[in-house]
Amino acid sequence: MAMALCLFKYAPTSLCSSLFSSTKIPNSHPFSFSTFSSSSSSSSYSTVLATPTFTWNDILNISQSSTSIQQQHQHPSSYLQGFFHKVQLCNRGSEKQSEFLPFVIEGQVVGFIHNGFAEYLKGFGDVFIFPKDKSNGSPFGNCVSLHPRLKTYEERTSAVGYVVERLGEERIPGIRNELYPVTSSFGAPIFFSLERAAAPYFGIKVYGIHMNGYVELDRQKHLWIAKRSSTKPTYPGMLDHLVAGGLPHGIDCHENVVKECEEEAGIPRSISIKAIPVGAVSYMDIDEYRYKRDVLFCYDLKLPESFVPKNEDGEVDSFKLIPVVQVAEVIRKTQFFKPNCSLVIIDFLFRHGYINPECFGYLDLLRSLRIGDCS
């Protein structure tokens, strides 16, 4: 039976090349991660982290110490383990879904609210109601909904915004005064807009854009990688994409890419409009009262060799241009990247031929990039 050996190759570049024998992933469930467990605790990846202390030299030293061919011969089935673990970090807590109530508006499920957080909302009876049966033809049973007097977008946005303001930083830390649309799926009607920091507490779908900015040097692709500012309220000091951001209300994906390109990397519109949409990844993460249901639209932008990014909004500490094969090793071996960035870069590795079908676990890893409700 053939089994995959995964190697780095530089022209053409590939993470997986030699074929040995095939075997079956020893998990009955396609998205089970028990076989790819790690001693690292995923609980360390809550939204707010202590600032990491690694440097670019640390990153380059790790990325250049590739797995030896002998070790890959001895453990061919574990080569993708590091990638699977990064997917796991973005998809925790599925066993806790029963602790959440559907958040229903006009017969559509727009989110999920933890029973504990729902107790806070019960103090705002003129905004939230809590149906306990399938009355009025509703198929949802116990759920959370908005008071029927709140009929318009403006009324709902204002009323829920008032609740978020009253709950304050104690219940919803990191309030940014940035609104996200509340909808059942991408492109569906928007029922109201919600403070960005409150999104996981209401379990709404959140959409974002992530852009891989790459350069080709000597027939090798290199990715521009950002190191987040140490003053960022979320994931300070961690590695990030050249450009990434949430999709707020009132702007489409491509215009958001162009806007974020200018703000985060100083990329002029004449270049950023060439960014190519290449798909999406999704994940579902439950952490205490927070239920993240995120969909990230992925973009690729080939940049001129002479381009050097410059941050304009103070959210990035520095940038580094790193060969893709070395970026892959950083993802495989460390937790230096903001977790959801790893998913987008793994997707890049698939699309650009750095992971071949002969790699053990190829299809399972590919499917795992869209575990969340990608709608």
Side-chain angles (χ1 to χ4, degrees):
M1 298 174 67
M3 190 172 290
L5 170 68
C6 302
L7 305 170
F8 283 120
K9 294 169 64 180
Y10 289 86
T13 310
S14 176
L15 292 178
C16 310
S17 57
S18 299
L19 180 65
F20 284 102
S21 67
S22 85
T23 185
K24 188 177 182 180
I25 293 286
N27 284 316
S28 58
H29 192 290
F31 299 134
S32 171
F33 295 101
S34 57
T35 306
F36 305 96
S37 62
S38 169
S39 59
S40 300
S41 171
S42 63
S43 64
S44 64
Y45 270 76
S46 59
T47 303
V48 181
L49 301 177
T51 304
T53 58
F54 61 82
T55 66
W56 285 116
N57 283 337
D58 296 326
I59 294 163
L60 295 176
N61 288 337
I62 289 169
S63 68
Q64 291 168 354
S65 59
S66 300
T67 305
S68 70
I69 292 178
Q70 181 180 7
Q71 184 177 1
Q72 293 179 49
H73 271 289
Q74 293 172 348
H75 306 286
S77 64
S78 63
Y79 184 78
L80 295 183
Q81 177 176 336
F83 295 139
F84 274 101
H85 181 239
K86 301 313 177 294
V87 176
Q88 181 186 23
L89 289 176
C90 290
N91 292 278
R92 304 167 300 168
S94 60
E95 72 281 0
K96 299 178 181 179
Q97 291 185 63
S98 61
E99 299 176 10
F100 290 76
L101 296 169
F103 182 24
V104 180
I105 301 178
E106 296 183 9
Q108 300 291 318
V109 176
V110 299
F112 294 90
I113 300 175
H114 193 276
N115 286 309
F117 191 79
E119 291 299 314
Y120 304 144
L121 303 183
K122 289 180 179 178
F124 302 89
D126 56 343
V127 179
F128 295 98
I129 60 173
F130 300 84
K132 294 183 179 298
D133 55 33
K134 297 182 180 181
S135 59
N136 301 319
S138 171
F140 303 106
N142 291 359
C143 65
V144 182
S145 189
L146 293 180
H147 196 286
R149 73 174 181 83
L150 301 172
K151 298 184 181 300
T152 69
Y153 168 91
E154 291 78 13
E155 289 172 344
R156 293 164 175 170
T157 300
S158 176
V160 178
Y162 169 78
V163 173
V164 171
E165 182 181 352
R166 289 293 302 274
L167 292 176
E169 290 282 337
E170 181 181 356
R171 304 298 186 199
I172 303 175
I175 292 176
R176 307 186 187 191
N177 297 314
E178 181 179 346
L179 296 177
Y180 276 0
V182 177
T183 182
S184 60
S185 60
F186 189 70
I190 298 172
F191 297 109
F192 69 97
S193 287
L194 177 69
E195 158 63 37
R196 175 176 180 172
Y201 293 93
F202 287 84
I204 68 166
K205 281 281 197 65
V206 169
Y207 301 91
I209 55 95
H210 278 233
M211 192 191 79
N212 302 290
Y214 70 97
V215 176
E216 288 194 4
L217 299 172
D218 300 325
R219 300 179 66 189
Q220 288 191 59
K221 290 186 176 74
H222 295 59
L223 279 169
W224 276 108
I225 302 299
K227 194 171 189 293
R228 293 164 69 89
S229 168
S230 60
T231 61
K232 287 278 289 182
T234 57
Y235 306 104
M238 298 190 73
L239 300 184
D240 204 336
H241 272 101
L242 177 64
V243 171
L247 187 63
H249 178 57
I251 186 170
D252 65 31
C253 289
H254 196 265
E255 276 304 311
N256 201 33
V257 169
V258 171
K259 177 180 75 71
E260 296 289 348
C261 276
E262 178 65 30
E263 293 176 358
E264 297 192 348
I267 303 174
R269 186 181 184 90
S270 59
I271 295 176
S272 61
I273 59 173
K274 299 175 183 178
I276 300 172
V278 291
V281 301
S282 62
Y283 54 93
M284 180 213 73
D285 187 71
I286 293 175
D287 180 19
E288 298 181 339
Y289 287 176
R290 297 178 292 275
Y291 192 157
K292 295 192 70 174
R293 300 192 302 138
D294 293 359
V295 177
L296 306 179
F297 294 101
C298 305
Y299 285 76
D300 285 355
L301 177 61
K302 185 176 180 180
L303 292 160
E305 293 182 20
S306 59
F307 173 78
V308 177
K310 180 182 179 182
N311 181 244
E312 303 288 348
D313 62 8
E315 296 188 356
V316 175
D317 175 73
S318 56
F319 297 95
K320 198 78 170 178
L321 186 63
I322 304 176
V324 173
V325 290
Q326 293 182 20
V327 174
E329 283 298 276
V330 174
I331 290 176
R332 233 173 41 85
K333 295 178 178 179
T334 77
Q335 295 182 18
F336 290 171
F337 271 94
K338 180 172 174 279
N340 62 2
C341 295
S342 294
L343 303 190
V344 179
I345 294 176
I346 293 170
D347 177 72
F348 182 93
L349 298 177
F350 273 107
R351 293 185 292 99
H352 288 263
Y354 292 86
I355 302 176
N356 287 338
E358 290 76 21
C359 271
F360 189 95
Y362 177 92
L363 290 177
D364 286 292
L365 182 60
L366 183 63
R367 287 196 298 270
S368 74
L369 298 178
R370 294 160 189 88
I371 289 179
D373 181 3
C374 203
S375 67

